[in-house]
Amino acid sequence: MGAAVFFGCAGIAFGPALALVLLTVAAEPLRVIVLVAGAFFWLVSLLLASLIWFVSVHLSDREDAKLQYGLLVFGAAVSVLLQEVFRFAYFKLLKKADEGLATISEDGRSPISLRQMAYVSGLSFGIISGVFSVINILADSIGPGIVGIHGDSPYYFITSAFLTMALVLLHTFWGVIFFDACEKRRYWCLGLVVASHLLTSGLVKGFGRATFQRRTVVAPSARGRES
């Protein structure tokens, strides 16, 4: 049962992204490079956000539960803002790369357009973000344990998988809109991307706190085997 839940939820979470990578990215070396580099930029933003949250927690009162939850929300907001900052930095880097490729090209055109790079970079941000958001949940789904045995939602894993899939696709859309807004200097679109990213993060956080206060209960047979 655990393996079925694991592979089923993993397929839901990353199936569309895997299809997009195989159909639109894997055959083009430049797109693969943009995909990997985008994931690296996202990881750097996560590292900085983690450092900020880690320092703030150690400088605060760890016994204050409300303060710690507030710091967690603060860390999530900082993480979103840093992701968008690094998305902008990645746009500037790709813009320079696009100009350089056009310069050395025989026909004076870059072999990959800025819109294609926007799509691939957004997809890379979404995939790596989805991996980090759902990897621990997928690890728990293998077992041993049963979700919902004490009245909690039995749909925790599948709901988390659908939320991860939505997050991956949203990052792809955000990447395309963000790059287009930077290219055409549409600052209200930039604000829309950042605001919607913050709103989505807040909704997922609030929904998870209110609905999915999960407890994985080890089945009696598993306890017997462990003892």
Side-chain angles (χ1 to χ4, degrees), residues 39-114:
F40 172 77
F41 269 71
W42 188 91
L43 286 172
V44 175
S45 73
L46 178 65
L47 175 62
L48 293 179
S50 301
L51 287 175
I52 293 173
W53 174 79
F54 181 79
V55 171
S56 62
V57 167
H58 279 266
L59 294 179
S60 64
D61 182 9
R62 295 190 182 184
E63 303 299 325
D64 191 340
K66 289 184 178 180
L67 176 60
Q68 293 304 313
Y69 179 73
L71 289 176
L72 187 61
V73 174
F74 166 75
V78 169
S79 177
V80 169
L81 295 176
L82 283 175
Q83 286 177 50
E84 298 306 329
V85 169
F86 274 82
R87 198 194 300 274
F88 178 74
Y90 196 38
F91 163 78
K92 300 295 288 185
L93 177 64
L94 291 178
K95 182 69 173 175
K96 292 291 185 181
D98 183 64
E99 295 172 356
L101 290 172
T103 301
I104 64 175
S105 177
E106 293 181 356
D107 58 1
R109 296 191 304 174
S110 173
I112 180 172
S113 68
L114 192 62

Side-chain angles (χ1 to χ4, degrees), residues 10-29:
I12 292 172
F14 300 108
L18 179 61
L20 289 173
V21 170
L22 292 177
L23 294 174
T24 64
V25 177
E28 298 290 337

Side-chain angles (χ1 to χ4, degrees), residues 208-219:
R209 180 177 172 83
T211 308
F212 298 124
Q213 292 181 337
R214 173 178 60 93
R215 296 293 182 270
T216 302
V217 180
V218 177

Side-chain angles (χ1 to χ4, degrees), residues 14-205:
F14 300 108
L18 179 61
L20 289 173
V21 170
L22 292 177
L23 294 174
T24 64
V25 177
E28 298 290 337
L30 284 177
R31 296 181 189 180
V32 174
I33 294 172
V34 173
L35 186 77
V36 175
F40 172 77
F41 269 71
W42 188 91
L43 286 172
V44 175
S45 73
L46 178 65
L47 175 62
L48 293 179
S50 301
L51 287 175
I52 293 173
W53 174 79
F54 181 79
V55 171
S56 62
V57 167
H58 279 266
L59 294 179
S60 64
D61 182 9
R62 295 190 182 184
E63 303 299 325
D64 191 340
K66 289 184 178 180
L67 176 60
Q68 293 304 313
Y69 179 73
L71 289 176
L72 187 61
V73 174
F74 166 75
V78 169
S79 177
V80 169
L81 295 176
L82 283 175
Q83 286 177 50
E84 298 306 329
V85 169
F86 274 82
R87 198 194 300 274
F88 178 74
Y90 196 38
F91 163 78
K92 300 295 288 185
L93 177 64
L94 291 178
K95 182 69 173 175
K96 292 291 185 181
D98 183 64
E99 295 172 356
L101 290 172
T103 301
I104 64 175
S105 177
E106 293 181 356
D107 58 1
R109 296 191 304 174
S110 173
I112 180 172
S113 68
L114 192 62
R115 288 186 178 181
Q116 291 172 343
M117 289 191 287
Y119 156 71
V120 176
S121 67
L123 184 60
S124 68
F125 270 54
I127 291 174
I128 193 67
S129 176
V131 168
F132 272 81
S133 66
V134 81
I135 188 67
N136 289 332
I137 297 173
L138 290 178
D140 287 340
S141 70
I142 299 177
I146 299 173
V147 176
I149 196 171
H150 284 313
D152 298 323
S153 173
Y155 306 111
Y156 176 77
F157 292 124
I158 192 169
T159 305
S160 299
F162 275 109
L163 285 175
T164 301
M165 179 186 67
L167 183 64
V168 173
L169 296 177
L170 279 172
H171 266 290
T172 305
F173 300 147
W174 286 331
V176 174
I177 297 171
F178 192 96
F179 276 45
D180 183 72
C182 290
E183 180 71 13
K184 298 179 180 178
R185 299 183 183 276
R186 293 177 177 175
Y187 299 110
W188 65 273
C189 287
L190 293 177
L192 180 63
V193 170
V194 176
S196 60
H197 195 172
L198 285 169
L199 178 63
T200 302
S201 179
L203 288 174
V204 172
K205 187 69 180 176

